[in-house]
């Protein structure tokens, strides 16, 4: 952004991670003009035309990196352990107000772009527009609006139930007409009461029709998929991102299908494993167990969550080793995962084999590509949006340093 006198803005710090490759450089500066990065250069080479009086933000011994991109959020959800059925009892006004709170927490934590994975009715479209107008603070939103789901399927209550090839095509068209930036589909069941996570929800024909209709309209497709059959359908239909990718068998067990893993790697489809949300659930339950004890239902849930985490790690480690492209998407808002803690999912990615640097790229450069915006966000390079995060410490060594936020800039404007 140009400062008040029409001159550029300069942001300086001791370290810069431009996230083109995860390496860091010392004593660099980012020059911002009209909301975009004009150049990235060593501080000692900074020069401006005579009369130009740049507005300088010098953060000293800190690290400058691109704003984070969380590929998976649910702004309507409370992130306090409430279920989707609980939140369904709220009306849309409350869903939207919850969204305003979620967006503020996200941007203040350094998430400058979030891919919203589904909310009620038109509430996430309204949130996106409110942020665009500057009425409330928040990240730029890549929005699906509502997830497409089979009648009675996972998240049916959000408002986009559709069945049959004609029905799902029509729903894609409706969402695109309402302003959807991409299409989210529930290709298996999930945690919604009466939906079955271990079974595919849509036939291959239906899923392929969704992908075809979306791609014709220039929209990417992200598919929620727990069941092995749903993952296979996603690959056959050509979806762009597989979410959760649990490898659940019909009997509820979780095991790797190596040939499917190889196909995932070969296809280049993005995988959003959503690991921290289950680890966090275990942590909450263990804490409660220590403090006041668990009831029968909670004990069962703790046991199931421990099984899911240990099996997920057993499945996702070889999947990553096989060459699958993993991406950072928190699923925050859902379950007990609050907004503002995206770094926890990036840290969780290191438990399946990503290095800290790779995890950082999974929340910046690679995330930008996965959400279809590689030319405008995700790295600090000339021409891109000036979405900047400044933190104390060095997050390429310790991802916890992502929580030590000194400043956030969105399109060159300082928002924190
Ligand atoms: Zn989700």
């Amino acid at each position: 952004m140009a400062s008040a006198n029409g001159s550029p803005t300069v942001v300086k710090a001791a370290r810069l991670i431009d996230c083109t490759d995860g390496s860091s450089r010392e004593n660099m500066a980012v020059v911002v003009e009209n909301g975009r990065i004009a150049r990235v250069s060593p501080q000692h080479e900074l020069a401006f035309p005579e009369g130009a009086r740049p507005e300088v933000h010098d953060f000293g011994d800190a690290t400058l990196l691109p704003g984070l991109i969380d590929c998976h959020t649910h702004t309507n959800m409370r992130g306090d352990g409430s279920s989707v059925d609980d939140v369904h009892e709220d009306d849309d006004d409350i869903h939207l107000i919850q969204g305003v709170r979620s967006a503020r927490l996200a941007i203040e934590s350094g998430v400058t772009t979030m891919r919203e994975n589904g909310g009620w009715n038109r509430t996430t479209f309204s949130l996106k527009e409110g942020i665009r107008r500057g009425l409330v603070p928040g990240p730029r939103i890549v929005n699906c609006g509502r997830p497409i789901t089979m009648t009675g399927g996972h998240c049916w209550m959000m408002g986009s139930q559709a069945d049959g090839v004609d029905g799902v095509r029509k729903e894609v068209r409706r969402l695109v007409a309402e302003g959807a930036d991409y299409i989210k589909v529930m290709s298996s069941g999930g945690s919604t009461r009466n939906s079955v996570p271990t079974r595919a929800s849509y036939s291959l024909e239906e899923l392929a029709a969704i992908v075809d209709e979306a791609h014709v309209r220039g929209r990417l497709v992200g598919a929620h998929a727990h069941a092995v059959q749903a993952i296979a359908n996603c690959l056959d239909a050509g979806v762009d991102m597989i979410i959760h990718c649990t490898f659940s068998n019909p009997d509820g067990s979780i095991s790797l299908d190596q040939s499917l893993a190889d196909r995932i790697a070969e296809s280049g489809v993005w995988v959003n494993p959503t690991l921290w949300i289950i680890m966090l659930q275990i942590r909450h339950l263990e804490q409660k167990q220590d403090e006041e004890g668990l009831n029968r239902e909670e004990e069962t849930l703790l046991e199931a969550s421990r099984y899911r985490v240990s099996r997920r790690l057993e499945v996702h480690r070889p999947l990553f080793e096989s060459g699958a492209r993993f991406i950072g998407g928190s699923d925050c808002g859902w379950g007990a995962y609050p907004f503002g803690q995206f770094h926890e999912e990036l840290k969780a990615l290191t438990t399946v084999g990503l290095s800290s640097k790779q995890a950082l790229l999974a929340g910046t450069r690679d995330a930008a590509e996965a959400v279809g915006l590689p030319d405008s966000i995700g790295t600090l390079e000339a021409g891109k949006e000036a979405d900047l995060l400044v933190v104390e410490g060095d997050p390429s060594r310790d991802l916890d340093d992502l929580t030590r936020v000194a400043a956030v800039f969105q399109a060159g404007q300082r928002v924190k």
Side-chain angles (χ1 to χ4, degrees):
M1 124 202 172
S3 55
N5 59 11
S7 294
T9 298
V10 177
V11 185
K12 298 200 269 190
R15 284 168 303 281
L16 176 135
I17 304 171
D18 63 19
C19 287
T20 57
D21 63 4
S23 64
S24 64
R25 288 181 283 169
E26 293 187 350
N27 300 316
M28 300 292 290
V30 174
V31 179
V32 179
E33 288 173 6
N34 303 314
R36 290 184 179 271
I37 298 170
R39 60 188 185 278
V40 179
S41 72
Q43 290 177 15
H44 69 268
E45 284 177 17
L46 283 176
F48 296 95
E50 202 163 324
R53 297 218 308 278
E55 180 184 307
V56 179
H57 300 261
D58 188 347
F59 292 99
D61 185 25
T63 300
L64 184 52
L65 68 160
L68 302 176
I69 302 166
D70 185 344
C71 292
H72 192 152
T73 65
H74 294 281
T75 52
N76 285 176
M77 298 284 286
R78 303 172 196 157
D80 64 355
S82 307
S83 71
V84 69
D85 296 293
D86 296 332
V87 178
H88 186 48
E89 286 170 19
D90 293 340
D91 62 24
D92 280 350
D93 298 333
I94 293 297
H95 292 146
L96 180 56
I97 293 170
Q98 185 75 43
V100 168
R101 179 177 188 276
S102 302
R104 179 173 53 75
L105 290 171
I107 189 87
E108 288 180 353
S109 72
V111 171
T112 49
T113 300
M114 59 186 176
R115 182 149 94 154
E116 168 59 30
N117 273 238
W120 274 258
N121 303 314
R122 291 203 38 82
T123 56
T124 63
F125 293 112
S126 301
L127 177 64
K128 176 172 175 164
E129 180 61 13
I131 293 169
R132 193 192 66 78
R133 292 187 192 191
L135 301 175
V136 292
R140 67 185 78 248
I141 297 182
V142 180
N143 193 17
C144 74
R146 301 177 296 276
I148 298 179
T149 193
M150 62 176 254
T151 293
H154 186 40
C155 295
W156 62 267
M157 60 285 278
M158 289 178 178
S160 274
Q161 297 180 85
D163 305 283
V165 166
D166 291 345
V168 296
R169 273 195 194 277
K170 187 174 177 185
E171 197 57 32
V172 173
R173 290 174 187 175
R174 188 157 77 116
L175 285 161
V176 170
E178 289 181 45
D181 302 304
Y182 81 104
I183 297 300
K184 165 91 182 272
V185 54
M186 301 306 193
S187 77
S188 78
S191 57
T192 305
R193 257 187 308 123
N194 299 325
S195 87
V196 184
T198 57
R199 298 282 182 179
S201 299
Y202 281 121
S203 68
L204 176 56
E205 290 68 28
E206 289 169 310
L207 197 58
I210 290 171
V211 174
D212 177 63
E213 194 66 39
H215 285 179
V216 162
R217 274 149 231 297
R219 303 305 197 273
L220 297 173
V221 177
H224 158 111
H226 288 299
V228 171
Q229 185 59 54
I231 295 170
N233 287 351
C234 285
L235 290 168
D236 290 336
V239 310
D240 305 288
M241 183 187 289
I242 299 177
I243 298 161
H244 310 305
C245 202
T246 309
F247 287 85
S248 293
N249 300 304
D251 67 0
S253 64
I254 294 171
S255 57
L256 185 72
D257 177 333
Q258 186 61 50
S259 67
L260 213 49
D262 291 338
R263 285 189 62 202
I264 289 171
E266 278 159 28
S267 70
V269 66
W270 295 98
V271 175
N272 168 208
T274 63
L275 298 167
W276 176 246
I277 191 165
I278 329 172
M279 296 175 178
L280 183 62
Q281 183 167 48
I282 293 174
R283 181 184 282 193
H284 281 308
L285 288 167
E286 285 176 343
Q287 210 168 351
K288 193 171 178 209
Q289 190 173 41
D290 287 349
E291 286 165 6
E292 50 188 293
L294 299 179
N295 63 35
R296 192 84 162 265
E297 200 180 320
E298 289 164 334
E299 271 171 15
T300 312
L301 184 60
L302 178 57
E303 204 175 315
S305 301
R306 282 178 175 152
Y307 174 78
R308 277 163 69 210
V309 165
S310 66
R311 293 307 301 158
R312 283 269 202 118
L313 297 183
E314 291 305 310
V315 160
H316 284 147
R317 279 190 199 118
L319 180 61
F320 180 65
E321 275 167 23
S322 303
R325 301 201 290 175
F326 277 40
I327 203 69
S330 64
D331 212 354
C332 68
W334 200 270
Y337 198 154
F339 271 77
Q341 297 182 14
F342 179 41
H343 72 288
E344 294 284 11
E345 178 64 14
L346 298 182
K347 275 168 65 184
L349 289 177
T350 65
T351 65
V352 292
L354 281 78
S355 66
S356 294
K357 284 178 184 176
Q358 286 172 321
L360 210 48
L361 297 179
T364 54
R365 182 197 69 183
D366 297 347
E369 193 183 333
V371 304
L373 296 171
D375 298 328
S376 55
I377 55 173
T379 61
L380 300 181
E381 291 179 282
K384 290 204 171 178
E385 298 278 353
D387 289 356
L388 315 174
L389 170 59
V390 186
V391 298
E392 308 292 338
D394 181 355
S396 67
R397 292 169 191 273
D398 183 353
L399 289 165
D400 274 323
D401 285 346
L402 289 173
T403 63
R404 302 166 68 195
V405 177
V408 180
F409 293 81
Q410 192 182 35
Q413 302 276 357
R414 188 167 180 178
V415 291
K416 180 179 174 170

